[in-house]
Amino acid sequence: MTELAVQFTAHLNCTSRCPSEMNVMRACSVLRPVVLLGPAPWRRAHSLASFHQASQLPKKKFQHLLFPQSALEAHLVRGAGGMNLQLFQPSDEDIARAEKLFIPSPKHKIDYSFSAVRMEHALPISQPEVCFIGRSNVGKSSLIRALFSLAPDVEVRVSKTPGHTKKMNFFTVGKAFTLVDMPGYGYKAPRDFVDMVESYLQTRRNLVRTFLLVDGSVGVQEADRVAIEMCDEFGLPFVVVLTKIDKGSKGVLLTHLLQVQEVIEKRTTCCYPQPFLVSSTQFSGIHLLRCFIAHVTGNILLTSDAKGS
């Protein structure tokens, strides 16, 4: 176990004791309205789940839905204009094409695959894989449910109780990629969290990107800093995603966004320069994140210079 893992374990033990408009019409022709096949889904898709539906919004609202960072630009003109807030800028057509990966069809199954508590229990997979990690109750499962909202038969269990996810849960997106929902760290983390996650991150050869979630309403916590250092120490390409951006004021969100940007710039070498902002309830940033996942897993080539490495 690495020194950082030891720090993580110590921290876990301690906390466990404490209670853009770019040719929308063309893009919409790429993606027709969603038609759900098969039996009645167990839940309804979000009203803004598809790009076609979202494009019906007024121009400004549509822009802020796709790129929630743009809503903060006016506050960043003085003193923070150099921030990497919109480094990844795919075209509307890119976003629409990427969305197709998240729509099931008879030849493109999207479903829960299996769970594992040890790497030896995880089935070997050759297709690209992405994983989501974050503190307990950061909104990880809610975000994954939002990403899969166009596949409403896919059950991603969401609980108000921290620490609900106890295993590594694997979701297969056809032959395109696999998404892994990892247990949360911090309060209510499983006892074997460090062994489980460290082993996965170090040995999973088809892992192409790790998404590290930070609660946008509370900012970077000590456990988040340790997790960020661990990803960087392992040399893992990772991305920071700020969740729950609808909670609290813009001022609070901006403060935490500046904090995250500083951590990325000064304390990481493997982290993507742009933090992503999402709201699983208002659907802000979900379309952009889908496109980024589709791009980094090698499933779409961007038509624009989106700087998505």
Side-chain angles (χ1 to χ4, degrees):
M1 186 179 295
T2 66
E3 181 179 350
L4 278 170
V6 173
Q7 293 178 25
F8 221 159
T9 303
H11 182 81
L12 292 176
N13 290 336
C14 178
T15 54
S16 65
R17 292 193 294 266
C18 304
S20 72
E21 167 185 17
M22 296 179 68
N23 202 343
V24 174
M25 295 305 294
R26 182 183 178 190
C28 288
S29 69
V30 173
L31 184 66
R32 296 187 176 91
V34 177
V35 178
L36 298 174
L37 304 177
W42 68 277
R43 60 181 172 85
R44 291 181 178 275
H46 192 282
S47 60
L48 298 174
S50 77
F51 182 87
H52 174 79
Q53 293 169 310
S55 67
Q56 308 306 308
L57 292 171
K59 178 181 176 180
K60 189 173 183 179
K61 287 187 177 180
F62 179 54
Q63 174 73 11
H64 291 174
L65 182 77
L66 294 185
F67 302 95
Q69 302 96 317
S70 61
L72 299 173
E73 284 184 333
H75 304 279
L76 293 170
V77 174
R78 297 184 299 274
M83 289 182 65
N84 291 313
L85 289 185
Q86 294 197 51
L87 184 63
F88 184 68
Q89 297 187 51
S91 68
D92 291 343
E93 184 179 355
D94 291 330
I95 295 174
R97 287 190 299 117
E99 186 173 282
K100 286 186 174 182
L101 290 174
F102 294 84
I103 302 174
S105 71
K107 293 185 178 180
H108 182 68
K109 304 292 184 181
I110 302 176
D111 206 354
Y112 160 80
S113 183
F114 64 91
S115 296
V117 294
R118 289 285 186 274
M119 276 308 298
E120 53 265 33
H121 301 155
L123 301 178
I125 297 174
S126 59
Q127 64 189 33
E129 196 161 271
V130 296
C131 78
F132 284 66
I133 65 174
R135 288 193 306 114
S136 297
N137 208 33
V138 73
K140 181 163 43 62
S141 296
S142 294
L143 174 56
I144 294 174
R145 174 184 280 187
L147 291 170
F148 286 148
S149 58
L150 296 174
D153 285 329
V154 178
E155 184 175 0
V156 182
R157 296 184 179 181
V158 177
S159 173
K160 292 183 179 180
T161 304
H164 177 74
T165 304
K166 299 294 185 183
K167 304 176 181 179
M168 298 180 289
N169 297 316
F170 293 71
F171 296 86
T172 302
V173 182
K175 296 180 180 179
F177 66 90
T178 301
L179 186 152
V180 186
D181 182 7
M182 307 293 284
Y185 53 77
Y187 180 61
K188 291 292 186 179
R191 290 185 177 182
D192 53 356
F193 172 86
V194 173
D195 291 336
M196 185 192 309
V197 173
E198 185 182 67
S199 177
Y200 170 85
L201 295 177
Q202 287 190 302
T203 65
R204 198 67 170 175
R205 300 305 178 194
N206 59 322
L207 178 64
V208 297
R209 199 68 53 127
T210 296
F211 292 83
L212 198 156
L213 278 52
V214 172
D215 190 329
S217 65
V218 301
V220 179
Q221 303 296 295
E222 184 57 32
D224 298 321
R225 294 182 186 276
V226 176
I228 289 170
E229 290 176 12
M230 181 171 66
C231 288
D232 216 56
E233 182 186 85
F234 292 168
L236 298 173
F238 69 103
V239 184
V240 174
V241 180
L242 269 72
T243 63
K244 304 182 181 183
I245 64 170
D246 55 305
K247 307 294 184 183
S249 67
K250 286 185 179 179
V252 170
L253 175 60
L254 183 56
T255 298
H256 295 151
L257 180 56
L258 289 168
Q259 176 194 38
V260 168
Q261 187 72 60
E262 182 179 17
V263 170
I264 291 175
E265 291 179 353
K266 296 182 178 180
R267 297 177 177 270
T268 70
T269 57
C270 300
C271 187
Y272 187 68
Q274 172 189 323
F276 285 75
L277 281 65
V278 297
S279 167
S280 300
T281 56
Q282 297 184 352
F283 231 73
S284 301
I286 299 299
H287 302 83
L288 183 67
L289 189 58
R290 282 182 184 151
C291 189
F292 188 78
I293 293 172
H295 175 61
V296 297
T297 55
N299 285 286
I300 67 164
L301 293 177
L302 301 173
T303 59
S304 59
D305 181 16
K307 299 180 180 179
S309 298

